[in-house]
Amino acid sequence: AWIAPILKYARQKGWSGSVNSGYRSFADQQRIYNSGVRPAARPGTSNHEGSDYPRGAIDVSNAQQLHRILRNSPYANTLVWAGSKDPVHFSHPHNGSY
């Protein structure tokens, strides 16, 4: 729920992308991790498995555009792009991880 207003803001500022992934259950994260897709966090450690701030994550299309919009916004340090570490991923970095 905390991510939705940020995406609404970004849409109003011209972001043309879409969310490709958001909340994942432990089982969903396990399936992705076991498939060998990387980067993928170990099940139980992914921000995708949480929904209450600061946990929660999204993977999006047009990530660079979203990053440009958010980095100069009131949400600059709230929803942060992982960049080359995971080029489609946004979350709130805590404990040094995305």
Side-chain angles (χ1 to χ4, degrees), residues 20-33 37 39-51 55-60 86 88-89 98:
N20 300 322
S21 182
Y23 175 80
R24 298 179 193 150
S25 68
F26 181 91
D28 289 337
Q29 188 65 27
Q30 182 78 51
R31 180 183 48 76
I32 291 167
Y33 186 79
V37 170
R42 284 188 203 103
T45 67
S46 174
N47 283 333
H48 284 280
E49 295 173 84
S51 59
R55 293 195 73 206
I58 55 172
D59 294 340
V60 302
D86 188 347
V88 299
H89 182 88
Y98 289 87

Side-chain angles (χ1 to χ4, degrees), residues 45 47 54-55 85 91-98:
T45 67
N47 283 333
R55 293 195 73 206
K85 182 176 180 180
S91 62
H92 180 74
H94 56 283
N95 298 326
S97 67
Y98 289 87

Side-chain angles (χ1 to χ4, degrees), residues 6 9-10 63-81 90:
I6 299 170
Y9 170 89
Q64 289 184 350
Q65 182 189 39
L66 180 57
H67 168 66
R68 284 192 302 273
I69 291 167
L70 294 182
R71 73 178 173 202
N72 296 313
S73 79
Y75 305 107
N77 296 312
T78 306
L79 187 62
V80 179
W81 186 35
F90 286 78

